[in-house]
Structure formats: structure tokens, C-alpha cells
Amino acid sequence: MKIGVLGVGALTEALIRGVQQSAAPFEWVLSPRSAERVAGLRQLPGVRVAPDNTSVVAECQTLIIGVRPEQLGTLLATVQLRAEHHLISLVAGVKQSELADRCYPAQVTRMMASIAVAYPGASVFFYPQQSALSIPFQQAGYGVQSFATEQAFEASMLSVCVNAWWLEQIQALADTLVAQTGMQLQEAVSLLAAAQQESAVLLQQHPDRTPAALAREIGTPGTYTARGLDYLKAQQAEQPWVEILNQLLGELKPRP
Ligand SMILES: NC(=O)c1ccc[n+]([C@@H]2O[C@H](COP(=O)([O-])OP(=O)(O)OC[C@H]3O[C@@H](n4cnc5c(N)ncnc54)[C@H](OP(=O)(O)O)[C@@H]3O)[C@@H](O)[C@H]2O)c1
């Protein structure tokens, strides 16, 4: 698969590096801005840098837009899109219908990912479903999920945000382990990362059971796990997480 990139930033760099180290790398043509980043990426096999945005668009039918929302207008003013172009937008918060209007007559698909795309095995999300995109990303080793509604797709962005929230929790727990046991921070982080990986394995292996049911299966009465579950429940520890998720989902709801 050949992809042109308009706006090579932190996320697109991660994506390109991840895909290029996979078993099924793509061919990439990059816009030249962000000189330092682009200079590093052009060393990778299969990656070229075009002289300008116009050349990227002339050469590639599939294009990733990797700019920030406020940079989108300026970017689109520099390119002439045609019906054969398929734009994949990473731009958070800009709806598919708005993108389709602004990029007419090109086809538009929204994509979401996190910086973890630097490693095959991470997940990418699409709206609407696009097998022309899903298949090459699956072949490159990525978990691909597509959504029937744009609101569900927006939730995928928040699931990416939750990753960072979990990382903050891991930091706090790891700091406690270090302070109480004298172990190295890296050792503590490894322990907690392994525990989190095990929760993911349990969830994947038991799709018939809810996360809460699995938690109670691990935390049988009288165990340390059960004491922790009971304490966190009594403190309503999940409440701030639910509150911020609700708030952000509300902001992403389509306006009438
Ligand atoms: N970073 C994440 O984890 C993440 C996660 C989910 C979604 N996203 C979305 O992904 C998009 C990119 O995020 P990012 O963090 O990768 O941003 P970023 O690092 O700021 O990258 C944006 C890049 O686009 C370049 N650019 C701006 N205008 C351009 C133009 N007219 N022509 C060519 N290149 C242009 C910028 O160059 P200059 O530096 O020269 O301005 C910069 O290199 C955003 O819309 C964001 O909402 C990001």
C-alpha cells in the first residue's frame, strides 16, 4: 500500500515507524515540513520525502492528514483534491461530514490511534468501515476496529485517552511500591504492566463475563484483592473516571 502523508507530526511519525518495522511495510511519501522529523524518517526503507504538499497529492491516491485541527484550513488550501483521492483524517474532533465537505470530491475516512502505533500490535480505529484500509493494517499486525456510528468512533479516541489515565495510575502505584519496598522504579513498573496485561488476557479469554465479574472471581472473599476491591468501591474510586469520561463524551456528541 502506498500512502502520502500531509503533516508529519508525533502521531504520523509513530505510525510510519511502526508500520515500517512490521512484516508488511507500506510505501510512504511525506510532506517536507517538520524538517528534523522528516530527515529521520527518510532513512527508513520505503519512505520518501516530496518537495511539497502538491507533489504528495499528485503522487498518492491514499493520503493521511496528520495536522492539528487549527492547521487543517491552511493545509487544505495548499492542495487540489480529486475524486480518486482517499483521505484518512487523524484530526481529532473534526466530523466526517465536515471533512467530506471541505475535501470534496475526495472520499474521507476518519482514523484514530495513539502513539503506541509505533509498535505493531497496537490498535487503529476507522470510521466508516473501510476494508481497503483495514486489510493492510491487519497484515501489518495492527488490531483494527471499525465503527457503525461516528459517536462510537469518537469513543475510540477516548479509549486512547484512557491509556494515558491508566499510565498515571501506574506511576502512582509504582512510586508506592518503590517507597515501601526499595525496589527499582523499572521493576515496579514492569510488575504493574504485567498485571495489566493479564487483565487484558482475562478479558479476551472470557468475553462472556463482565470485567466486574472477573474482578470478583480474582478477589474471592477474604483475599487481599477483595479487601482492595471493597475499599475502592467504598471510596467510589471509579467516580472521577466516570465523570470525566461523561464530560468528554458529552462534548463530542453531535450538535443538532
Ligand atoms: N499525538 C497524539 O497522540 C494524537 C492522538 C490522537 C489524535 N491525534 C491527532 O493527530 C493530529 C496530529 O497530532 P500530532 O500530535 O502528531 O501533531 P504535531 O506533532 O503537531 O504534528 C502536526 C504536523 O503537521 C505539520 N503541518 C502543519 N501544517 C502543515 C501544512 N500546511 N503542510 C504540511 N505539514 C503541516 C506540522 O509542522 P510544523 O511543526 O512545522 O507546524 C507538524 O509537523 C492532530 O489532529 C491530533 O488531533 C494525535
Side-chain angles (χ1 to χ4, degrees):
M1 178 173 205
K2 179 174 173 179
I3 300 188
V5 181
L6 296 168
V8 182
L11 187 57
T12 39
E13 174 174 6
L15 180 66
I16 295 164
R17 289 193 181 278
V19 170
Q20 292 318 89
Q21 60 178 288
S22 78
F26 303 168
E27 187 184 343
W28 301 89
V29 181
L30 312 186
S31 61
R33 211 160 123 172
S34 204
E36 214 174 295
R37 230 183 251 290
V38 163
L41 287 168
R42 78 182 331 152
Q43 310 300 324
L44 300 176
V47 179
R48 274 185 302 117
V49 182
D52 48 37
N53 290 351
T54 311
S55 313
V56 178
V57 171
E59 211 189 312
C60 303
Q61 289 196 351
T62 306
L63 299 159
I64 286 186
I65 303 185
V67 297
R68 292 174 178 236
E70 66 275 14
Q71 298 169 323
L72 185 61
T74 315
L75 169 74
L76 292 178
T78 66
V79 292
Q80 194 83 45
L81 296 167
R82 301 184 304 276
E84 63 267 31
H85 283 124
H86 183 178
L87 256 66
I88 307 166
S89 170
L90 283 168
V91 186
V94 183
K95 299 271 177 287
Q96 212 254 349
S97 55
E98 180 185 337
L99 288 162
D101 277 353
R102 293 173 75 177
C103 301
Y104 182 84
Q107 182 189 359
V108 177
T109 301
R110 292 183 67 188
M111 177 177 179
M112 189 46 62
S114 78
I115 291 292
V117 280
Y119 310 99
S123 293
V124 294
F125 307 110
F126 293 109
Y127 172 79
Q129 208 239 318
Q130 277 298 339
S131 43
L133 298 177
S134 307
I135 293 166
F137 277 97
Q138 272 163 350
Q139 285 169 344
Y142 288 86
V144 176
Q145 221 174 322
S146 299
F147 297 91
T149 67
E150 193 159 27
Q151 222 177 323
F153 169 80
E154 300 287 17
S156 76
M157 181 183 82
L158 295 181
S159 76
V160 166
C161 301
V162 169
N163 248 336
W165 307 349
W166 272 323
L167 289 172
E168 278 283 356
Q169 290 299 303
I170 289 179
Q171 179 75 58
L173 296 174
D175 287 343
T176 309
L177 288 177
V178 169
Q180 292 285 341
T181 69
M183 65 166 62
Q184 296 295 307
L185 179 65
Q186 221 174 352
E187 239 178 319
V189 169
S190 259
L191 266 179
L192 293 162
Q196 206 172 31
Q197 216 159 4
E198 281 166 23
S199 328
V201 170
L202 284 174
L203 286 168
Q204 279 153 7
Q205 294 298 320
H206 300 284
D208 52 319
R209 270 173 265 177
T210 63
L214 284 171
R216 283 294 164 187
E217 275 176 43
I218 304 170
T220 49
T223 57
Y224 288 151
T225 308
R227 274 174 60 190
L229 285 172
D230 293 343
Y231 179 77
L232 292 169
K233 243 317 157 234
Q235 297 288 320
Q236 297 191 305
E238 74 287 357
Q239 208 44 41
W241 292 65
V242 171
E243 263 166 35
I244 185 63
L245 189 58
N246 263 324
Q247 192 178 317
L248 298 175
L249 282 168
E251 287 173 24
L252 289 168
K253 262 201 182 127
R255 310 258 173 275

